[in-house]
């Protein structure tokens, strides 16, 4: 969502900090905030003016017309303020339909002034620019400003001047105040633009001889501009509308949303309600809320929210866990229902997201049973069959009643089941399996010729269009949607003016897509591109629709894709200019640029005249940037689809990105060939649901576009409806409108004017909004009514009055579409044609494996680590548990090397071994090699490797050999003396015995430290004792034939493996045999080698050359002569 209301205190803080004007703005930063926890002594210390001045006090909780409601205390001293607050603070108050508790108040200095010194100013954003309303009589009794005020439109990218303000706004202002007001208004507009306000109202604005005073202020800012304005905004707090509390769970989900590329929304309406929702998709979430309210569940609806944009398993788990914990806090006498719904996903892996929900259900199964929760599930999209299967299984294993439905069931049918308005099928019909698109029903492997390029239906030659059925004059209106319409408010007089100001001047006369359309895709979206190519292939296109990709973060290269069975290479360019130059036939750009780069990349694209259509997928582009894009696009004749859209589809011709979902849905909805019905929607998810509905009730879709959920979509409903009106193959039009905006009224006018003569079936979602006591911002940024005429109920009634076919609810939309279609078939306008089977397309290996349709021997196996899930796992132990248990490096080594959780003393012993083997000076071969390599200018990895390659039986590699030799001798029953004699007889060295420097008289303290620890903590030390007996024999012959550190670690590790209780004897012997013990020396000594490398670099040592005097040159005599 974009436009969000801010508190009056925040708005004034922005104004006082950043306004640039010659007018003397008074009382800057002179305000004090009061809550029930306020310390009044501290407050007066921070704001001493509270003790000396007359004051004004008022609630700061987004309440309109506070003066009229008696919620402003005027001309009081501090004690008077406290007395005024006493009966009001923390008391429930009713404002219009909303009940809320007053808890945040603002105290400001009282400004003595006359009525003649009060003015009204308001700035608000629309599609074509920013409107300024000014009235020379402000204050609490300002009345109908919309009718009274002077107006000035500042078009997008235009500048506001003081002369324009004086000429158009200040005509009734006294001459002596015009300069001050003009300067302040220009400065205010500069502030409004710089800080991305979308609405700013000051009433009254007081101008006296001393200067300008901002008394009351209301404002909204574009929250999506946070990345631009963060430095000036700081951390902005967006208060909830009056009547709704701010819950910590809402803040938690908002934080998840901010950290995710997906969309996660949660608004608590009635935490004690029995009907809870967990809906995928911004549009679908509104439809489900509408249906619940239509069926009488408005008082029991507990929440509004949505998850979309392919959230991860962990994100859906966190989201679901939050909702389940909220709904199981209080019991309801009738039990509770949870509706897990959604439209047919375009690209979200349904099974993956359901895994997170299933985990949450399992974790909460006890409270869910205790609160008698029944769950209803309906979903479609990629891998939805597996998701539904898993959801059904969790119901069986937990005993929680879970009813599961797929695309064969109408999207909102589960609401009627949950509320007891329709029976629950015992065995719901299931659609074909995802993998069925592999099979050609005609048993013909040859790609069939495409027999229809215009429409699946045969056109009737006598009449190419059917006139819209007009409403009967004076006919009774639907009582369920009765509303006085249009209505006025402070911003816009009526919908006709809104239509006139919308900038609508007729649709661009362009056929957006054909069977020969070529596109460039901005962004490395390989999955979307492959989906487009598969669609092209199944539509029997001659060539792929994607000509190239642009990705600025890599050099020019080729990317591999599939065209049917064949692999092809697609060029990827670093910059747009090269792509355009080398592909002059391209006229469509599909932008997957991020919200931060979408504006710049789109502006660059519009420099190339060959581009006629641009689809912007990104959600969250600041509205001011979108309006600039629209202005340039209108000037250049470019059609923009989006932002915040999945795109659009023209069956048999072209699809944008992920539109229409995967091939199984393409085939199920018959999107591989054109039908007779065109639709336009805001929601991308709901556009796929329309594909499903239209395919089940008519001969299919001719074209469909999702214009996007932002307040200012690049193209409007009317733009596309007019295109559809002028397209012969389209026989009827479906529009899925939405609460917010006035674009649907252009369709009403088009029907009345006769510009639209084809049947229009229309439904505006968001009818539930008028039933809520407080304002709810739905999932789409534009889904919020700022006036009565923008409500879904008002727009549905207007469309019905204009002559469009409007159902009573979304539940009946499919029935109305079928009725209109049947009428067109009956009168011969549509003649359904014979179905032509599409060609088969192979399934990608990765997706087939995801669905469990194939198996393949793995290239290699691993059993110690798994990084695929949400959390790294070491030998079955999540990384968070590793740290929680404080296992240390020894514990991690135990998990990764031995697949065991070792005892604490074993972990400590491993860490001690690493410490004592870390280094033994620069003279040993490994360190020497590392130093030489470092001084030769090599990198760390090369230098370290050089040192490690010297490790072997002669240096450091004696751990394994010592363990093997001593174990073999001990296990065979040899006495220590027999072992020593045998090794001498065989001419072999005893590994782990002997040291160049240390001796029995100069013991190695490393060995002594380890020996003390082992004797104190190990359960048994048979192998160590045997080795020490051997040492007594060898040192009696020569004092330096001691048990060295390698030998000690080797034999002690054998004792550890055999006696710690974690290994069988065979397992212990296997670890010795496969060389695990040498790993201790390698790992420990690597620390020392790295230290030597860093030391040489720090000392800036040059290339090493060995001195001649340290080399004995022994050449053959005849060579030295």
């Amino acid at each position: 969502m974009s436009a969000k209301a801010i508190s009056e205190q925040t708005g004034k803080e922005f104004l006082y900090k950043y306004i640039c004007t010659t007018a003397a703005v008074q009382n800057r930063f002179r305000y004090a905030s009061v809550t029930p926890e306020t310390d009044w002594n501290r407050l007066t210390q921070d704001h001493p003016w509270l003790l000396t001045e007359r004051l004004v006090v008022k609630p700061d909780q987004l309440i309109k017309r506070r003066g009229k409601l008696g919620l402003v205390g005027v001309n009081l001293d501090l004690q008077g303020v406290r007395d005024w607050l006493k009966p009001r603070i923390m008391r429930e108050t009713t404002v219009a339909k909303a009940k809320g508790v007053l808890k945040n108040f603002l105290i400001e200095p009282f400004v003595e002034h006359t009525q003649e010194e009060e003015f009204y100013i308001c700035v608000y954003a629309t599609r074509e620019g920013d409107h300024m309303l000014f009235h020379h009589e402000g204050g609490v009794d300002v009345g109908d400003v919309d009718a009274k005020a002077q107006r000035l439109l500042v078009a997008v990218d235009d500048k506001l001047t003081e002369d324009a303000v004086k000429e158009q706004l200040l005509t009734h202002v006294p001459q002596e105040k015009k300069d001050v007001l003009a300067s302040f208004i220009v400065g205010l507009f500069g502030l409004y633009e710089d800080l991305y306000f979308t609405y700013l109202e000051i009433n009254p604005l007081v101008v006296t001889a001393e200067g300008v005073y901002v008394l009351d202020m209301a404002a909204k800012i574009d929250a999506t501009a946070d990345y631009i304005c963060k430095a000036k905004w700081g951390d902005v707090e967006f208060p909830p509308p009056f009547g709704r509390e701010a819950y910590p769970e809402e803040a938690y989900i908002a934080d998840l949303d901010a950290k995710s590329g997906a969309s996660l929304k949660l608004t608590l309406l009635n935490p004690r309600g029995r009907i809870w929702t967990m809906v995928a998709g911004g549009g679908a979430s509104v439809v489900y809320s509408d249906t619940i309210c239509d069926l009488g569940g408005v008082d029991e609806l507990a929440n509004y929210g949505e998850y979309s944009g392919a959230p991860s398993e962990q994100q859906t788990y966190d989201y679901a866990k939050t909702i389940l914990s909220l709904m199981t806090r209080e019991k309801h006498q009738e039990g509770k229902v949870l509706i897990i719904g959604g439209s047919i996903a375009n690209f979200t892996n349904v099974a993956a997201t359901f895994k997170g929900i299933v985990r949450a259900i399992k974790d909460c199964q006890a409270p869910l049973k205790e609160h008698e929760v029944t769950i209803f599930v309906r979903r479609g999209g990629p891998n939805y069959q597996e998701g539904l299967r898993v959801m059904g299984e969790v119901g069986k294993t937990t005993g929680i009643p879970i009813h599961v439905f797929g695309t064969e069931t109408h999207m909102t049918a589960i609401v009627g089941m949950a509320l007891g308005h329709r029976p629950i099928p015992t065995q719901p019909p299931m659609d074909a399996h995802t993998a069925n698109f592999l099979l050609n029903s005609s048993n013909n492997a040859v790609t069939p010729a495409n027999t229809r390029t215009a429409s699946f239906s045969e056109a009737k030659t006598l009449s190419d269009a059917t006139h819209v059925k007009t409403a009967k004059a004076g006919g009774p209106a639907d009582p369920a949607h009765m509303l006085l319409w249009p209505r006025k408010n402070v911003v816009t007089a009526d919908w006709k003016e809104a239509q006139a100001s919308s900038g609508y001047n007729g649709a661009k006369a362009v056929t957006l897509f054909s069977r020969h359309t070529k596109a460039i895709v901005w962004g490395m979206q390989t999955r979307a591109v492959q989906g487009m190519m598969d669609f092209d292939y199944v539509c029997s296109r001659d060539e792929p629709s994607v000509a190239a990709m642009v990705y600025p973060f890599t050099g020019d290269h080729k990317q591999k894709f599939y065209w049917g069975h064949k692999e092809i290479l697609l060029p990827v360019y670093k910059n747009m200019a090269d792509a355009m130059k080398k592909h002059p036939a391209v006229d469509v750009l599909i932008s997957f640029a991020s919200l931060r780069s979408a504006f710049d990349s789109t502006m660059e694209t519009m420099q190339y005249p060959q581009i006629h259509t641009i689809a912007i997928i990104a959600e969250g582009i600041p509205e001011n940037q979108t309006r600039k894009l629209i202005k340039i696009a209108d000037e250049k004749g470019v059609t923009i689809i989006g932002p915040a859209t999945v795109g659009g589809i023209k069956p048999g011709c072209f699809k944008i990105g992920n539109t229409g979902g995967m091939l199984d849905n393409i085939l199920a909805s018959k999107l591989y060939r054109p039908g007779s019905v065109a639709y336009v929607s805001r929601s991308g998810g709901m556009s796929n649901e329309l594909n499903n509905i239209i395919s089940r009730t008519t001969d299919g879709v001719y074209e469909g576009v999702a214009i996007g959920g932002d307040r200012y979509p690049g193209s409007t409903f009317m733009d596309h409806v007019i295109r559809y009106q002028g397209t012969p193959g389209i026989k009827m039009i479906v529009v899925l409108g939405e609460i917010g905006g006035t674009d649907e009224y252009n369709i009403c006018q088009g029907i009345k004017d006769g510009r639209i003569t084809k049947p229009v079936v229309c439904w505006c979602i968001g009818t539930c909004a008028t039933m809520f006591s407080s304002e709810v911002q739905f999932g789409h940024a534009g889904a919020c009514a700022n006036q009565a005429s923008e409500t879904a109920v008002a727009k549905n009634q207007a469309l019905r009055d204009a002559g469009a076919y409007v159902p009573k609810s979304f539940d009946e939309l499919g029935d109305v579409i079928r009725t209109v279609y049947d009428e067109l078939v009956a009168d011969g306008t549509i003649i359904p044609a014979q179905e032509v089977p599409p060609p088969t397309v192979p399934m990608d290996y990765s997706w087939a494996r995801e669905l469990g349709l194939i198996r393949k021997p793995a290239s290699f196996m691993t059993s110690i680590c798994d990084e695929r899930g949400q959390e790294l796992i070491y030998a079955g132990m999540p990384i968070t548990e590793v740290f929680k248990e404080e296992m240390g490096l020894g514990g991690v080594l135990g998990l990764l090397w031995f697949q065991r959780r070792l005892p604490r003393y074993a972990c400590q012993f491993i860490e001690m071994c690493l410490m004592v083997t870390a280094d033994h000076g620069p003279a040993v071969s490994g360190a020497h090699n590392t130093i030489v390599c470092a001084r030769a200018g090599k990198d760390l990895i090369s230098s370290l490797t050089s040192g490690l390659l010297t490790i072997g039986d002669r240096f450091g590699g004696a751990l394994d050999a010592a363990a093997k030799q001593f174990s073999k001798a001990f296990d065979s029953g040899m006495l220590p003396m027999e072992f020593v004699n045998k090794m001498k007889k065989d001419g072999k060295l005893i590994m782990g015995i002997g040291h160049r420097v240390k001796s029995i008289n100069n013991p190695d303290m490393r060995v002594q430290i380890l020996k003390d620890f082992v004797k104190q903590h190990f359960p048994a030390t048979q192998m160590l004792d045997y080795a020490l007996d051997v040492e007594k024999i060898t040192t009696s012959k020569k004092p330096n034939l001691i048990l060295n550190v390698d030998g000690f670690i080797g034999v002690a590790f054998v004792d550890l493996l055999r006696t710690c209780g974690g290994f069988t004897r065979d397992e212990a012997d296997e670890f010795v045999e496969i060389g695990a013990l040498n790993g201790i020396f390698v790992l420990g000594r690597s620390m020392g080698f790295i230290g030597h490398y860093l030391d040489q670099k720090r000392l800036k040592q040059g290339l090493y050359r060995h001195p001649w005097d340290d080399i004995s040159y022994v050449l053959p005599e005849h060579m030295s002569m």
Side-chain angles (χ1 to χ4, degrees):
M1 58 189 74
S2 53
K4 288 187 177 181
I6 55 176
S7 66
E8 182 174 5
Q9 179 178 339
T10 302
K12 287 183 174 178
E13 182 180 341
F14 288 169
L15 186 147
Y16 293 147
K17 274 186 182 179
Y18 301 117
I19 192 168
C20 184
T21 176
T22 57
V25 179
Q26 301 296 319
N27 286 340
R28 284 178 182 256
F29 305 107
R30 300 185 78 190
Y31 46 73
S33 179
V34 176
T35 66
E37 295 79 31
T38 294
D39 180 340
W40 287 89
N41 292 328
R42 177 66 183 270
L43 192 71
T44 53
Q45 290 175 14
D46 294 342
H47 306 282
W49 50 268
L50 290 171
L51 299 169
T52 59
E53 297 195 27
R54 306 299 290 179
L55 305 170
V56 172
V57 59
K58 54 195 173 183
D60 188 7
Q61 291 179 237
L62 309 185
I63 300 173
K64 298 177 181 178
R65 292 178 284 279
R66 291 168 293 188
K68 288 281 189 182
L69 296 170
L71 293 177
V72 181
V74 180
N75 199 11
L76 306 171
D77 60 11
L78 185 60
Q79 186 57 48
V81 167
R82 297 185 68 170
D83 293 341
W84 186 90
L85 284 171
K86 195 173 294 183
R88 294 174 174 85
I89 197 165
M90 292 307 293
R91 299 294 172 88
E92 188 174 80
T93 303
T94 301
V95 176
K97 293 192 296 181
K99 286 185 179 180
V101 176
L102 298 174
K103 58 178 71 173
N104 297 313
F105 290 83
L106 200 61
I107 306 174
E108 296 176 300
F110 170 69
V111 179
E112 188 78 44
H113 64 277
T114 64
Q115 175 64 46
E116 289 71 27
E117 292 171 323
E118 291 187 344
F119 302 93
Y120 172 92
I121 180 73
C122 176
V123 191
Y124 65 92
T126 61
R127 183 181 182 86
E128 72 283 359
D130 299 292
H131 292 263
M132 306 196 74
L133 276 67
F134 179 86
H135 192 46
H136 60 285
E137 296 175 345
V140 68
D141 295 317
V142 67
D144 187 356
V145 176
D146 186 58
K148 298 177 179 179
Q150 302 295 115
R151 294 173 175 271
L152 172 61
L153 170 63
V154 184
V156 174
D157 253 2
D158 280 3
K159 297 297 179 184
L160 180 66
T161 64
E162 292 188 18
D163 289 341
V165 170
K166 290 177 184 178
E167 291 172 11
Q168 298 188 50
L169 296 181
L170 307 183
T171 53
H172 301 297
V173 172
Q175 190 64 38
E176 66 274 11
K177 294 184 178 178
K178 283 188 177 182
D179 288 342
V180 172
L181 271 170
S183 174
F184 178 81
I185 290 172
V186 170
L188 185 73
F189 186 75
L191 169 84
Y192 170 94
E193 283 193 315
D194 292 343
L195 269 67
Y196 283 73
F197 281 82
T198 62
Y199 181 85
L200 201 167
E201 181 185 49
I202 301 174
N203 181 37
L205 175 70
V206 170
V207 182
T208 68
E210 289 76 30
V212 176
Y213 297 86
V214 178
L215 297 197
D216 286 344
M217 180 176 174
K220 292 182 179 182
I221 57 176
D222 184 352
T224 60
D226 179 71
Y227 73 95
I228 298 172
C229 301
K230 183 72 173 179
K232 292 185 177 180
W233 284 358
D235 294 322
V236 181
E237 183 178 338
F238 297 103
F242 183 72
R244 246 196 323 122
E245 294 298 313
Y247 293 91
E249 291 82 5
E250 293 176 334
Y252 172 68
I253 296 301
D255 184 57
L256 284 181
D257 179 63
K259 296 174 181 175
S260 164
S263 176
L264 302 166
K265 305 287 188 294
L266 176 63
T267 300
L268 287 175
L269 303 171
N270 174 16
R272 297 181 177 180
R274 67 178 293 264
I275 306 169
W276 291 76
T277 64
M278 196 185 308
V279 179
S285 61
V286 180
V287 170
Y288 276 98
S289 297
D290 284 351
T291 308
I292 291 167
C293 294
D294 285 344
L295 296 179
V298 62
D299 294 330
E300 291 290 352
L301 180 58
N303 71 306
Y304 167 78
E306 58 112 353
Y307 66 96
S308 59
S312 67
E313 178 185 333
Q314 185 62 38
Q315 288 164 347
T316 49
Y317 170 79
D318 293 336
Y319 184 79
K321 188 77 179 286
T322 302
I323 291 177
L324 295 181
S325 64
L326 282 167
M327 73 180 298
T328 52
R329 288 182 183 174
E330 292 187 37
K331 289 188 176 180
H332 195 286
Q333 59 183 6
E334 299 178 42
K336 296 188 177 182
V337 295
L338 173 62
I339 296 170
I340 302 176
S343 57
I344 301 172
N346 287 288
F347 56 89
T348 299
N349 186 332
V350 175
T353 55
F354 272 15
K355 284 179 185 176
I357 299 175
V358 164
R359 275 176 54 204
I361 291 173
K362 287 179 178 177
D363 288 353
C364 300
Q365 58 182 299
L368 287 171
K369 288 180 183 177
E370 182 186 347
H371 289 75
E372 300 178 44
V373 174
T374 304
I375 300 176
F376 292 83
V377 183
R378 190 275 185 182
R379 194 71 164 109
N383 209 6
Y384 80 95
Q385 292 91 344
E386 175 64 12
L388 297 181
R389 185 194 67 78
V390 170
M391 196 68 78
E393 285 297 320
V394 78
K396 294 174 184 176
T397 55
T398 60
I400 299 168
I402 300 181
H403 305 282
V404 177
F405 304 91
T407 56
E408 77 292 333
T409 302
H410 189 277
M411 191 177 101
T412 53
I414 59 171
V415 177
M417 300 176 200
L419 273 58
H421 291 272
R422 66 168 73 192
I424 303 171
T426 52
Q427 288 186 330
M430 294 300 291
D431 273 351
H433 192 274
T434 303
N436 276 9
F437 68 82
L438 287 166
L439 307 176
N440 190 332
S441 57
S442 67
N443 297 318
N444 182 2
V446 179
T447 301
N450 193 301
T451 56
R452 289 185 172 74
T453 56
S455 174
F456 182 63
S457 63
E458 300 288 356
K460 184 181 179 183
T461 54
L462 295 177
S463 172
D464 202 42
T466 302
H467 287 278
V468 177
K469 181 178 72 175
T470 54
K472 294 179 181 178
D478 180 2
H481 300 90
M482 187 76 73
L483 181 77
L484 292 174
W485 173 86
R487 289 183 175 175
K488 295 182 179 181
N489 86 331
V490 74
V491 177
T492 307
D494 55 36
W495 71 266
K496 286 187 178 179
E497 181 177 337
Q499 174 197 343
S501 67
S502 69
Y504 174 73
N505 56 4
K508 299 179 177 74
V510 176
T511 298
L512 300 185
F513 314 116
S514 72
R515 287 179 52 78
H516 307 290
T517 295
K518 289 282 189 177
I520 288 175
V521 174
W522 199 105
M524 190 54 69
Q525 291 287 328
T526 54
R527 179 178 168 185
V529 171
Q530 186 61 66
M532 291 176 67
M533 290 191 173
D534 288 343
F535 174 81
D536 297 339
Y537 188 81
V538 84
C539 293
S540 302
R541 276 185 59 130
D542 297 328
E543 293 180 326
S545 59
V546 182
M549 302 170 72
V550 174
Y551 193 59
F553 307 106
T554 61
D556 292 0
H557 66 283
K558 304 280 188 181
Q559 190 76 25
K560 187 171 67 174
F561 292 96
Y562 285 100
W563 176 248
H565 299 261
K566 185 173 64 174
E567 286 186 305
I568 62 172
L569 293 175
L570 198 68
V572 181
Y573 299 97
K574 185 177 175 63
N575 63 73
M576 187 82 71
D578 290 344
M580 295 293 179
K581 182 179 180 181
K582 294 180 181 179
H583 302 278
V586 164
D587 64 353
V588 175
L589 182 118
I590 301 170
S591 174
F592 284 96
S594 71
L595 62 94
R596 290 172 173 79
S597 58
F599 175 76
D600 291 333
S601 60
T602 306
M603 290 293 281
E604 181 188 2
T605 302
M606 287 193 286
Q607 296 174 11
Y608 300 97
Q610 70 189 73
I611 298 297
H612 297 146
T613 306
I614 301 174
I616 306 173
I617 310 301
E619 181 178 1
I621 300 174
E623 291 178 353
N624 208 27
Q625 292 185 347
T626 302
R627 295 191 304 170
K628 291 177 182 177
L629 292 177
I630 293 170
K631 180 180 179 181
I632 300 298
D634 287 344
E635 291 172 357
K636 294 180 176 290
V638 175
T639 297
I640 292 180
I641 298 173
T645 182
V646 72
I649 190 165
K650 190 169 184 181
C653 294
F654 183 83
K655 84 162 184 151
I656 296 172
N658 295 302
T659 310
M662 297 191 65
L663 269 183
D664 59 329
N665 189 67
I666 297 286
L667 297 180
S669 297
K670 300 182 178 67
L671 298 175
Y672 52 85
R673 52 54 171 183
S676 305
V677 184
Y679 69 81
V680 58
S681 160
R682 274 188 172 273
S683 166
M686 290 306 297
S687 71
N688 218 6
E689 194 63 42
L690 287 177
N691 290 331
N692 180 47
I693 293 172
I694 291 170
S695 70
R696 292 175 182 273
T697 55
T698 72
D699 64 352
V701 174
Y702 184 94
E703 184 177 347
V705 172
I707 61 173
D710 283 358
R711 280 215 298 171
Y712 309 122
S715 52
T716 65
F717 285 134
M718 191 61 169
D719 290 335
H720 296 286
V721 170
I722 288 295
R723 285 198 309 107
Y724 297 159
Q725 172 65 31
T727 304
I730 296 171
K731 308 303 178 185
M732 61 179 286
I733 301 167
V734 176
V735 179
L736 189 65
E738 189 171 273
I739 181 176
T742 57
D743 193 31
E744 290 85 352
Y745 292 117
N746 291 327
I747 298 175
C748 297
Q749 197 62 42
I751 294 172
K752 291 178 179 179
D753 293 346
R755 286 180 294 150
I756 303 171
T757 59
K758 294 178 180 178
V760 178
V761 178
C762 191
W763 175 252
C764 296
I765 64 175
T767 54
C768 60
T770 53
M771 305 181 194
F772 296 147
S773 58
S774 61
E775 180 184 291
V776 174
Q777 171 65 61
F778 295 110
H780 293 157
C784 184
N786 295 312
Q787 53 187 331
S789 61
E790 292 187 14
T791 64
V793 173
K795 292 196 277 191
N796 283 330
Q797 188 59 48
L799 287 158
R800 189 178 287 116
D801 293 342
Y805 294 85
V806 181
K808 292 181 179 179
S809 68
F810 181 82
D811 244 0
E812 297 182 6
L813 179 62
D815 297 334
V816 174
I817 291 172
R818 186 192 300 276
T819 300
V820 175
Y821 174 78
D822 288 346
E823 289 178 3
L824 295 175
V825 172
D827 67 18
T829 301
I830 295 176
I831 303 174
Q834 185 178 358
E835 193 70 63
V836 177
T840 57
V841 180
M843 182 182 287
D844 285 344
Y845 167 78
S846 59
W847 190 244
R849 182 156 186 165
E850 174 80 20
L851 296 174
L853 301 176
I854 59 173
R855 61 187 181 190
K856 167 187 173 291
S859 299
F860 59 85
M861 301 170 67
T862 181
S863 59
I864 62 168
C865 183
D866 190 347
E867 83 288 3
R868 296 170 300 171
Q870 294 301 313
E871 189 173 353
L872 183 64
I873 294 175
Y874 289 163
M877 192 171 195
I879 190 67
T880 52
E881 290 297 317
V882 172
F883 281 93
K884 192 182 295 181
E885 304 269 343
E886 297 182 349
M887 295 183 66
L889 186 59
V892 170
L893 193 144
L895 293 173
L896 294 179
W897 287 17
F898 306 112
Q899 297 179 302
R900 302 287 193 282
R901 182 168 180 180
L902 299 177
R904 183 64 190 156
Y905 72 83
C907 298
Q908 288 178 288
F909 178 68
I910 291 173
E911 291 175 5
M912 291 175 71
C913 291
L914 294 175
M915 292 165 69
V916 300
T917 59
D919 196 46
H920 205 227
V924 297
S925 58
H928 183 270
N929 263 25
T930 301
I931 290 170
V932 171
C933 202
R935 292 179 61 171
K938 302 297 286 186
D939 60 276
L940 187 147
I941 303 298
S942 301
S943 303
L944 173 61
T945 305
S946 173
L948 291 175
L949 288 174
T950 65
I951 295 176
D953 287 348
R954 294 188 177 186
F955 167 62
L959 278 77
D960 282 328
K964 291 174 184 177
Q965 284 183 358
F966 281 103
S967 297
K968 184 177 179 181
F970 177 82
D971 294 339
S972 65
M974 281 187 188
L975 295 174
M977 182 62 77
E978 291 175 327
F979 172 54
V980 174
N981 292 337
K982 184 177 186 303
M983 295 300 289
K984 184 177 181 180
K985 181 180 177 182
D986 293 342
K988 295 180 180 178
L989 296 173
I990 301 175
M991 292 293 114
I993 293 289
H995 200 283
R996 294 181 69 88
V997 178
K998 299 297 180 181
S999 67
I1000 194 73
N1001 303 313
N1002 178 26
D1004 190 339
M1005 292 309 298
R1006 298 179 297 171
V1007 174
Q1008 192 60 46
I1009 292 168
L1010 291 174
K1011 187 193 298 183
D1012 293 342
F1013 181 86
V1014 169
K1015 285 293 186 181
Q1016 182 180 350
H1017 294 94
F1018 279 28
T1021 57
Q1022 289 178 310
M1023 194 64 61
L1024 174 59
D1025 294 340
Y1026 184 82
L1028 292 173
D1029 288 342
V1030 170
E1031 181 190 47
K1032 290 176 184 177
I1033 298 169
T1034 56
T1035 53
S1036 67
K1037 298 180 180 180
K1038 200 172 183 180
N1040 70 330
L1041 295 179
I1042 59 172
L1043 181 65
N1044 60 36
V1045 70
D1046 295 353
F1048 182 92
I1049 293 173
V1051 296
F1053 236 105
V1054 175
D1055 280 332
L1056 174 66
L1057 294 171
R1058 290 184 177 185
T1059 63
C1060 73
F1063 305 91
T1064 65
R1065 175 64 179 271
D1066 289 342
E1067 288 174 332
D1069 291 345
E1070 183 183 22
F1071 278 116
V1072 174
E1073 195 62 36
I1074 62 178
L1077 305 191
N1078 265 359
I1080 295 289
F1081 185 85
V1082 171
L1083 181 59
R1085 192 51 59 93
S1086 292
M1087 293 189 283
F1089 291 168
I1090 292 171
H1092 285 296
Y1093 169 84
L1094 297 174
D1095 186 50
Q1096 295 301 308
K1097 293 294 185 181
R1098 185 169 53 247
L1099 296 173
K1100 297 180 171 57
Q1101 294 296 287
L1103 178 68
Y1104 176 80
R1105 180 181 176 86
H1106 203 73
W1108 289 344
D1109 59 6
D1110 195 33
I1111 302 172
S1112 178
Y1113 292 92
V1114 187
L1115 278 70
E1117 197 169 318
H1118 70 278
M1119 292 294 292
S1120 62
M1121 291 174 61

